[in-house]
Amino acid sequence: MNRLTNIAILGSTGSIGRSSLDVISTFPDRFRVTYLTAHRNLDLLAEQIHRFRPHGVVVPDESSARRLRYLVNGTTELLVGEEGLYEAVTREDVDTVVSSLVGFAGLLPTLRAIEAGKDIALANKETLVVAGELVMQKVRERGVKLMPIDSEHCAILQCLQGEDAQSVARLILTASGGPFLHVDRESFAQITPAQALQHPTWKMGNKISIDSATLMNKGLEVIEAHWLFGLAPDNIDVVIHPQSIIHSMVEFVDGSIKAQLGIPDMKLPIQYALTYPERQRSVFQRLDFAALQCMTFFAPDMEKFRCLALAFRALRCGGTAPAVLNAANEVAVHEFLKGRVAFSAIPDLIEAALASHNVVQHPQLSDILRADRETREFVSKQMNAVPL
Ligand SMILES: NC(=O)c1ccc[n+]([C@@H]2O[C@H](COP(=O)([O-])OP(=O)(O)OC[C@H]3O[C@@H](n4cnc5c(N)ncnc54)[C@H](OP(=O)(O)O)[C@@H]3O)[C@@H](O)[C@H]2O)c1
């Protein structure tokens, strides 16, 4: 009988973390949860501890640890802070790390896990956006398996099975277009956080929901695809497909196109990442083509959705530019969610940050950390100059 695969989930209380636990719970003979991590949602973490009995959990600070001890009276080890995250992902009783923290916070624990030789199921796209060259180099050096959880990259990976890398002409990432696909650009300044959080086809965490509304999410995915599949920016296209049924496509040199289809449910790519290269039965809802009736496609409006154009620009600049794009976006989205800047100001802040930055090519980790820190400071200062 196969040994159980021990899994650590970074961000088990988030949207991807919860879906990962749902998938894992359907394969009790195959997977065992050994570490879970949370940030604010300690009540949910306590429930997950009761249900999955992990060896250890990570919480952000001592006061969270005290509260969790009060909620859970068990044998689960409590680890604390960033050091706790690094400890959890490098332990012997971990084979695979589901990297599903949100934002830049996911980079360092994911890097530590790779350095420790753990396989990675990667939802945290920001890891590859900010440090793609460095991360892919470490993945090769350590010989670990890096499986994308993003549905687009999972789709591309499936389309590439059995194909020669030389025969790939173009990757085509599909995008739902988000909630403002048919809203005039002139109205963008009035968009509220509550409106921007209403995604038409996917239920996700707050940050990625706003990124989907600005199409920055697609831009981050273009950068992620570049590092995962080794294609130049000119060979990566985006097409709007509001039904989110085709998750992405690959065009080959002979003009053939392969697509991967399915209902929009993140449990499917999570299961594929965890069971790869096998396919396992699932109870997920099946696609009903007759009920679907039609699928539509059109080109994204890069002038209206400037964040997508800025992501392509940062990818073409290379080096630390994507780290700057990401940091500026994280601050701008945070401030928008707090009601302190307008939706329409998000690309303005990112553009200003990119313009002010001197790009370092082939950056070391220290260059990336500096670019991230300086950009956060820069955007925070700009905030006062941006009208609401
Ligand atoms: N959701 C999706 O459908 C989807 C699809 C593809 C890719 N992704 C990517 O997956 C990642 C996670 O997305 P999500 O939607 O699952 O996000 P989410 O629902 O906001 O969950 C984020 C998780 O990270 C934890 N966390 C937040 N800030 C942290 C910090 N500073 N330090 C440590 N932990 C922290 C949260 O803990 P608490 O909840 O306890 O505060 C939560 O467990 C993102 O990179 C996103 O782009 C998501």
Side-chain angles (χ1 to χ4, degrees):
M1 203 181 104
N2 284 342
R3 187 174 79 82
L4 286 172
T5 301
N6 290 318
I7 300 188
I9 303 184
L10 296 175
S12 62
T13 48
S15 166
I16 292 290
R18 294 192 305 268
S19 295
S20 300
L21 285 172
D22 286 346
V23 169
I24 287 168
S25 64
T26 61
F27 296 100
D29 299 336
R30 194 170 172 137
F31 302 123
R32 171 172 52 202
V33 176
T34 49
Y35 293 89
L36 298 174
T37 87
H39 197 54
R40 297 226 166 81
N41 198 344
L42 299 182
D43 292 325
L44 179 56
L45 181 63
E47 280 174 36
Q48 293 177 343
I49 292 171
H50 283 303
R51 186 160 168 223
F52 291 95
R53 309 243 165 249
H55 298 173
V57 297
V58 188
V59 291
D61 47 40
E62 284 300 339
S63 82
S64 306
R66 277 196 296 281
R67 187 163 134 65
L68 196 66
R69 265 186 214 106
Y70 169 77
L71 292 171
V72 199
N73 231 342
T75 53
T76 302
E77 184 183 3
L78 293 193
L79 301 162
V80 175
E82 273 179 36
E83 288 304 322
L85 286 174
Y86 304 154
E87 174 79 30
V89 297
T90 53
R91 287 253 173 111
E92 285 276 304
D93 51 350
V94 172
D95 302 305
T96 298
V97 173
V98 176
S99 171
S100 52
L101 296 189
V102 61
F104 190 80
L107 172 65
L108 293 180
T110 307
L111 262 179
R112 292 289 180 104
I114 295 168
E115 284 163 354
K118 312 299 182 188
D119 288 333
I120 307 290
L122 186 72
N124 180 264
K125 62 192 80 185
E126 294 89 348
T127 290
L128 283 178
V129 169
V130 302
E133 186 176 10
L134 196 72
V135 169
M136 295 312 287
Q137 188 187 326
K138 288 205 185 291
V139 163
R140 284 189 294 274
E141 277 168 16
R142 298 295 294 142
V144 303
K145 202 161 73 170
L146 178 73
M147 295 295 300
I149 281 184
D150 246 320
S151 58
E152 293 76 3
H153 307 82
C154 177
I156 291 168
L157 186 69
Q158 293 183 57
C159 294
L160 290 174
Q161 296 302 301
E163 302 287 351
D164 179 356
Q166 303 304 316
S167 64
V168 176
R170 185 165 68 114
L171 306 181
I172 307 163
L173 274 71
T174 52
S176 71
F180 308 124
L181 189 55
H182 303 297
V183 171
D184 288 345
R185 188 178 161 181
E186 289 66 41
S187 316
F188 272 23
Q190 280 78 49
I191 287 170
T192 65
Q195 289 169 325
L197 288 171
Q198 296 304 316
H199 195 273
T201 48
W202 295 96
K203 184 95 197 76
M204 308 177 286
N206 285 357
K207 193 257 180 186
I208 185 177
S209 296
I210 304 303
D211 286 349
S212 299
T214 60
L215 287 206
M216 177 55 91
N217 184 51
K218 208 49 53 183
L220 300 180
E221 288 173 6
V222 166
I223 301 173
E224 188 184 9
H226 164 75
W227 290 113
L228 282 170
F229 304 111
L231 270 88
D234 288 346
N235 301 100
I236 306 176
D237 282 343
V238 172
V239 66
I240 303 291
H241 165 44
Q243 296 80 15
S244 300
I245 294 299
I246 293 184
H247 297 304
S248 277
M249 301 179 256
V250 177
E251 184 181 300
F252 296 91
V253 286
D254 60 0
S256 275
I257 293 179
K258 278 164 89 173
Q260 186 263 339
L261 289 73
I263 53 140
D265 182 344
M266 286 309 294
K267 290 199 273 304
L268 217 155
I270 291 169
Q271 176 168 317
Y272 188 80
L274 292 178
T275 64
Y276 181 88
E278 292 166 25
R279 280 191 192 273
Q280 294 288 335
R281 274 185 197 290
S282 79
V283 292
F284 309 141
Q285 193 192 329
R286 283 352 195 204
L287 193 55
D288 177 351
F289 278 96
L292 183 64
Q293 292 182 341
C294 76
M295 290 196 285
T296 51
F297 306 91
F298 44 95
D301 180 343
M302 298 268 201
E303 284 174 20
K304 179 166 142 183
F305 292 105
R306 288 164 53 214
C307 286
L308 180 57
L310 289 168
F312 268 105
R313 192 196 294 177
L315 176 59
R316 289 194 171 96
C317 274
T320 44
V324 170
L325 173 97
N326 179 70
N329 181 56
E330 283 191 24
V331 179
V333 168
H334 179 80
E335 295 299 323
F336 167 66
L337 282 170
K338 294 271 176 209
R340 293 196 283 247
V341 288
F343 185 78
S344 53
I346 296 173
D348 295 336
L349 289 165
I350 299 167
E351 190 161 28
L354 283 169
S356 79
H357 177 70
N358 291 320
V359 174
V360 178
Q361 293 296 341
H362 309 296
Q364 300 298 307
L365 185 57
S366 55
D367 299 316
I368 292 162
L369 296 175
R370 191 180 325 110
D372 178 79
R373 190 182 60 248
E374 289 178 357
T375 302
R376 284 169 198 271
E377 286 164 9
F378 174 86
V379 178
S380 300
K381 277 192 203 136
Q382 292 286 305
M383 290 289 306
N384 297 333
V386 177
L388 237 184

